[in-house]
Amino acid sequence: MGLSWLEHKDRSIIHLNVADFAVAVERVLDVRLRARPLIIAPQGASRAAVYDMSEEAYQAGVRKGMALRRARRFCHEAEVLPPHPDRYERAMKVFLKHTLPYSPLVEAEEGNGHLFVDLTGTGKLFGPPPDVAWRIRKAVKFDLGLDPIWSVAPNKLVAKVATRVVKPTGEYIVEAGEEGEFLQPLAVYLLPGLEREDLLRLREFHISQVGQVARWTLEQLETVFGNRSRKVYQAVRGIDFSPVLSARQRPLRLTADHVFGDDTNDVILIEAALYRLVEQVGRRLREQGRVARRIGVWLDYSDGVRITRQKSSRTGTANDFKLFALARTALEFALKRRVRLRHLRLACDRLTYPPAQQELFSLDEQEIRASDGLTTALDQIRSRFGPSTIRMGRGLVASISGETLFEKIKDSQS
């Protein structure tokens, strides 16, 4: 390293990543599983989807969220195990415990083996951040048998990309001032926050590397990415000011509320209100470059009873249509009474960066591309002319009915 980590005042962020976390935990518990490809997925359900997979299965074409039946065709020799979230949660707590002596700012992505640790200004106490990362890795390997990849960088975005570069094993250090140079030769799909539609648009311009995007001006990016252009402009240059949250802070959550002017049990009207809330949180997610892995619906009935239901997505999404499909399922579970509704809340949590977008050619590409493209176009129109300029017909029902009394959206800790 050319610079002393003790001298410069830039941030020092460690990213630790246990690759294929669920698989790694299962292989620690049963060493026989290390000798063959492994897929983690519920068994017995006709529409079971892949929860996690080993590197061997990944190389064979298996992806998270893929139908298990299809995954078996790609990797028929794989062992299939049911997921054990309790095991992964316990392992994650022990993993987290090994980082806390070094910083109060430790941010965990729920149950997937990812941790950010902010070591800014701790050099005199604990030594150079790379040394700390090495000590944490050694302790985790000794205590849990897991071998985390680690990186050190001036911010979370670059640190995350750095561990993606060396996955499934290794380490990487990006010093302050080298962020752009580090990113330039990399594939654009490695950047957190770029969605499938973004990559498809870039492919239309025959662009595959971060450095090619970095040569575009902000004005040029605006013609392609609309209101997300500044975020893309910063991302390709390795600029990221997002803080590492404290381990004691509760996870971030996005909520949006709708209060009906008159209490109602009209399903069409309720779904219309729900869709409008989905549009609000979906847009906020896309602005933040995050996806939600859990959608919750709160129903407050006119007699004071509250019912809450949730629906999870393993891979997460920020697409309005996918968010609405999850929210609608949760609503169907919650909407079981004949009493009228007074208040509807939509909450998205388990927010995370989307995985690297490598699956551009799935069987569902045409449908996914169409919905992502429509969502992007709506964002651009609303960004330029206002949020009420254009609405989907489904959400318009709530507006023309005159039932909407109050709506709000906010970020908070859950």
Side-chain angles (χ1 to χ4, degrees), residues 50-152:
V50 174
Y51 181 89
D52 202 358
M53 69 274 147
S54 67
E55 180 66 17
E56 302 90 342
Y58 179 85
Q59 293 299 333
V62 179
R63 298 290 185 269
K64 291 179 181 179
M66 178 182 285
L68 178 58
R69 185 177 302 175
R70 186 177 172 212
R72 283 182 183 276
R73 289 202 297 269
F74 281 107
C75 193
H76 56 82
E77 71 275 22
E79 179 90 14
V80 180
L81 288 182
H84 299 94
D86 55 325
R87 294 177 181 174
Y88 316 144
E89 184 177 348
R90 289 200 300 273
M92 197 67 196
K93 285 181 179 177
V94 178
F95 185 19
L96 176 65
K97 187 183 71 175
H98 285 290
T99 64
L100 292 177
Y102 298 103
S103 174
L105 300 178
V106 181
E107 181 178 340
E109 293 186 12
E110 190 171 342
N112 63 1
H114 291 259
L115 287 175
F116 290 102
V117 186
D118 190 342
L119 290 182
T120 305
T122 65
K124 291 184 179 179
L125 283 174
F126 305 117
D131 290 359
V132 174
W134 184 85
R135 291 202 295 271
I136 294 173
R137 171 183 172 267
K138 183 179 178 182
V140 171
K141 195 171 182 179
F142 177 80
D143 193 15
L144 288 171
L146 302 173
D147 189 8
I149 309 162
W150 63 265
S151 67
V152 180

Side-chain angles (χ1 to χ4, degrees), residues 19 24 29 34 37 39 55 71 97 105 109 170 172 251 263 267 271 274 339 347-348 371 387 403 411:
L29 296 173
R34 298 176 184 178
I39 294 174
E55 180 66 17
K97 187 183 71 175
L105 300 178
E109 293 186 12
Y172 209 109
D263 297 351
V267 174
E271 289 193 353
L274 182 66
V339 182
C348 294
S371 66
E403 296 291 331
D411 300 10

Side-chain angles (χ1 to χ4, degrees), residues 275-283 286 320 382 392:
Y275 190 81
R276 290 187 55 175
L277 299 183
V278 164
E279 287 182 316
Q280 293 179 43
V281 297
R283 188 178 181 198
R286 294 189 291 278
D320 289 352
R382 287 165 180 157
M392 298 291 288

Side-chain angles (χ1 to χ4, degrees), residues 196-215:
R196 175 189 298 271
E197 176 61 20
D198 298 332
L199 300 182
L200 291 170
R201 294 295 304 276
L202 290 173
R203 193 177 66 179
E204 293 174 356
F205 292 93
H206 305 289
I207 284 179
S208 59
Q209 291 183 323
V210 175
Q212 294 173 288
V213 187
R215 287 197 283 273

Side-chain angles (χ1 to χ4, degrees), residues 223-235:
T223 63
V224 178
F225 297 102
N227 64 318
R228 298 181 57 250
S229 56
R230 184 166 294 280
K231 189 169 186 62
V232 176
Y233 181 86
Q234 293 180 336

Side-chain angles (χ1 to χ4, degrees), residues 345-361:
R345 169 175 291 175
L346 179 72
C348 294
D349 60 3
R350 296 182 177 177
L351 308 186
T352 185
Y353 290 113
Q357 297 283 341
Q358 292 175 290
E359 300 170 59
L360 291 179
F361 303 101

Side-chain angles (χ1 to χ4, degrees), residues 247-292:
R248 295 180 177 84
Q249 279 183 275
R250 304 183 74 178
L252 285 174
R253 181 174 67 178
L254 279 177
T255 60
D257 293 86
H258 180 103
V259 179
F260 295 98
D262 296 316
D263 297 351
T264 182
N265 53 11
D266 185 330
V267 174
I268 294 176
L269 188 60
I270 295 168
E271 289 193 353
L274 182 66
Y275 190 81
R276 290 187 55 175
L277 299 183
V278 164
E279 287 182 316
Q280 293 179 43
V281 297
R283 188 178 181 198
R284 184 68 62 89
L285 284 169
R286 294 189 291 278
E287 288 173 350
Q288 296 180 357
R290 293 172 180 260
V291 296

